[in-house]
Each structure stands twice: as C-alpha cells, then as structure tokens.
Amino acid sequence: TGREGSFHTQQMQAYGTRVVGGVTPGKGGQTVLGVPVFDSVHQARQALSVDASIVFVPAPAAADAVLEAIDAGVPLIVLISEGIPTLDMIGVMAALKQSASRLIGGNCPGLITPGGSKIGIMPGHVFQPGRVGLISRSGTLTYEVVAALSDSGIGQSTCVGIGGDPVIGSTFVDLLPLFQADPGTDAVVLIGEIGGSDEEVAAEYIKQSMIKPVIGFISGRTAPPGKRMGHAGAIISGKVGMPESKVNALLATGVPVAASVDEIVARTQEALKQAPPKPKRRSKKE
C-alpha cells in the first residue's frame, strides 16, 4: 500500500508475475491494484496459495517483516529494503537456519526469470529468455551486464541479485548449486565486488562441484582500502576483501575473470560454444 510497494507491484504485474495478496498491518480488507490486502502474512497464507513474498518495509521494521514471513512458512522471501541493522539481520539468519524458507537480500533488486516472472525492482525490458544464469552482488551492474548480453543475442535463464550488505540471506555458494542443477542453464555469470570473502568461498565450491562453465567479474578493483564503495559490504578491511584475492581465487579454479562488461559478453560466448550439446528429440517415427 506504500509508494514503493504499489509502484513495483504494478511493474511486476505488468511483467507477468501473479501478485495474489499484500500485507500492511491495519489495512486488511482493502483492495489495491486488484490485490486483496491482509493485516498479517499468516492471514494471507491461510487465504491464498503463496510461493513467495517481497518485502518493501522500511529498514527499522524490515527484519520483523522477514521474521513474520519465515514464521508463516513462506518458501521464498525477497528483501528489497536496505540499511537494515546488522544485528537485526543476524537474528533473521538464525531464524532462517531453523526454517525451510530461503531469503534473497536485503539491499537487493530481487530475481527474474526472463519471459516468466520477476520478484523485484529490475527493469524487465533489458532481460531476454535464454540459457545463461547470473548471480550478482550489484543491482545496477546486473542491468548493465544483462543489457550487453541481450544486445549480443545471449538470453538469460534466471538472474538473481543477492544484495550488497554485510549479512545477506543467500550467497553465491547457496545459489550456484541451483544453477548447476537447472536444465535450463548452460553457463553462469558471477558478478562479485570488493569486501567479504563470498567470492573466495564460491571459487572453492566451483572447483569442487560445478560442471557448468562460470564467468567471473569483480567490480571495485581500483577502490582504496578502508573506504566504503556504494554497498555496506563493499569495503576492504586489512587483507580481507581485497580484489586480488577474489580474482586469483577464481582464476585458480579455471574461471575466466573478465576485466570489462564487453569481455563478460565475449567470455560468455566462448563458454556457450563449449557447453555440451542438447540431446536431440526423437521423432515420432523413432
């Protein structure tokens, strides 16, 4: 019912996402944009078949909104809000471990299956259906890379913006197995940035378990140590979060690390050429 939630609900509906209900405490019983509003997630779950929830709640109350969705058993929760206190997110992570819910974000643009649906704030027109997955810590860079891929005729299977805060619900290593198991994905573009060690952990997983090709990119490679660059999690502290360690970790696993958006496109084209051919369909005669 708020400005952001209302605007992006319209955008998601226009893209093809089935928005079946909304939650704003105290406004239950209203209908907004053809969508019934409930006072709680539990009430919405009792009345509707719900696959996912998207949270636009302001930062001070965002963690409570996520905890409510977890308690109601929502399978997928997308947290758009940014600036959520780290201690609040630690409590959310503890609850997630005891649940069957998956959280994307916070401080993220959401996720999209081009030509299907989107749960988030991405500009849907730059995405095209295809067979390249994308996982990114940067929302804006996601759009730039996807636009370049689409302009080159490379479509995407699913794109996920995991968020740039220090504590997020799903990391690269949480999502890479899903792309590895997805029959609609032939290659994966991984967009990291300075700060933290998620890319190094992902590199180890890729080395041990990924069969599909992965193309890497690390943004912020010229950032000065100790200075936050955009995201709260994008800060080099001592020797932790250095871009060189991330690049070297990926290179050591055989993952090509592009130095520019154009090179991401070129590397992806090469990876798709090397992808195993799809099994041919049998004709009715066979």
Side-chain angles (χ1 to χ4, degrees):
T1 57
R3 183 185 63 183
E4 298 298 323
S6 178
F7 174 78
H8 289 294
T9 293
Q10 287 180 291
Q11 298 298 306
M12 289 188 290
Q13 288 175 322
Y15 197 79
T17 307
R18 290 185 59 217
V19 182
V20 295
V23 175
T24 302
K27 295 190 177 181
Q30 296 183 17
T31 299
V32 178
L33 300 172
V35 176
V37 179
F38 299 85
D39 287 318
S40 71
V41 180
H42 278 281
Q43 291 178 2
R45 286 279 281 163
Q46 290 173 354
L48 304 166
S49 176
V50 177
D51 301 309
S53 173
I54 183 167
V55 178
F56 291 102
V57 176
D64 284 342
V66 175
L67 289 171
E68 183 184 356
I70 293 171
D71 189 58
V74 178
L76 175 65
I77 306 162
V78 179
L79 177 57
I80 303 297
S81 313
E82 64 176 308
I84 303 164
T86 299
L87 284 177
D88 289 0
M89 284 303 297
I90 290 173
V92 167
M93 294 303 294
L96 279 172
K97 290 180 180 178
Q98 305 299 319
S99 76
S101 299
R102 180 186 298 277
L103 173 66
I104 306 295
N107 191 10
C108 81
L111 67 159
I112 184 170
T113 296
S117 67
K118 73 168 182 172
I119 309 175
I121 61 175
M122 309 91 137
H125 66 277
V126 303
F127 296 83
Q128 288 186 3
R131 303 189 64 86
V132 173
L134 185 143
I135 316 173
S136 174
R137 286 176 64 184
S138 170
T140 305
L141 191 53
T142 295
Y143 315 148
E144 185 176 352
V145 171
V146 165
L149 291 172
S150 296
D151 288 344
S152 299
I154 301 173
Q156 306 86 45
S157 54
T158 294
C159 302
V160 185
I162 61 175
D165 278 357
V167 180
I168 54 176
S170 297
T171 63
F172 291 123
V173 78
D174 293 320
L175 299 176
L176 281 169
L178 304 183
F179 283 99
Q180 176 60 45
D182 177 29
T185 297
D186 291 337
V188 180
V189 175
L190 185 152
I191 302 175
E193 64 184 11
I194 60 171
S197 59
D198 285 353
E199 291 81 0
E200 289 90 338
V201 175
E204 186 60 29
Y205 175 81
I206 292 167
K207 180 180 179 181
Q208 299 292 334
S209 304
M210 284 291 289
I211 297 173
K212 295 176 182 178
V214 178
I215 301 91
F217 180 84
I218 305 297
S219 67
R221 291 165 73 170
T222 60
K227 185 175 180 62
R228 173 181 162 183
M229 304 296 290
H231 290 151
I235 182 171
I236 300 171
S237 179
K239 294 184 178 180
V240 178
M242 297 287 287
E244 294 82 6
S245 65
K246 299 174 183 295
V247 172
N248 291 337
L250 290 168
L251 290 175
T253 67
V255 173
V257 180
S260 67
V261 172
D262 287 342
E263 190 178 347
I264 293 174
V265 173
R267 295 284 191 176
T268 304
Q269 290 170 330
E270 293 172 8
L272 290 174
K273 291 177 183 177
Q274 298 170 6
K278 307 292 176 301
K280 293 182 179 180
R281 288 186 177 181
R282 289 189 173 187
S283 67
K284 291 182 179 181
K285 293 182 179 179
E286 292 177 315

